[in-house]
């Protein structure tokens, strides 16, 4: 059975702490901003050479807020 690749159909801000993604299969997932930040793979949060976390996820508040979430 072959599955079509998933892609983002729409992203919107649900509240100050959460954003939602609607996928092309019509499923919708909510993501808490603090969870996203705790798992961020960017070079500021994770060493590019070693893959070791530079930012300790325990130091990231569960109260991370967004002013606005936009799809770019």
């Amino acid at each position: 059975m072959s599955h079509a690749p998933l892609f983002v159909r729409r992203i919107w801000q649900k509240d100050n702490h959460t954003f939602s993604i609607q996928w092309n299969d019509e499923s919708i997932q909510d993501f808490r901003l603090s969870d996203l930040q705790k798992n961020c793979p960017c070079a500021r949060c994770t060493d590019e050479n070693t893959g070791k976390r530079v930012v300790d996820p325990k130091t990231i508040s569960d109260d991370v807020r967004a002013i606005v979430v936009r799809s770019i």
Side-chain angles (χ1 to χ4, degrees), residues 3-67:
H3 294 287
L6 278 179
F7 63 86
V8 174
R9 175 165 285 158
R10 190 169 76 118
I11 297 176
W12 67 95
Q13 186 170 346
K14 186 172 182 176
D15 58 39
N16 284 345
H17 303 284
T18 312
F19 69 97
S20 300
I21 295 178
Q22 179 181 22
W23 301 94
N24 62 313
D25 69 355
E26 301 304 324
S27 65
I28 296 174
Q29 288 180 292
D30 294 336
F31 295 90
R32 188 151 177 97
L33 292 165
S34 59
D35 291 337
L36 185 66
Q37 190 172 11
K38 288 175 184 179
N39 292 289
C40 180
C42 84
R44 258 190 169 167
C45 297
T46 305
D47 185 286
E48 293 180 89
N49 297 315
T50 65
K52 183 180 177 187
R53 295 284 305 168
V54 176
V55 174
D56 182 355
K58 293 176 193 160
T59 65
I60 298 170
S61 170
D62 286 335
D63 196 34
V64 172
R65 294 173 177 247
I67 296 169

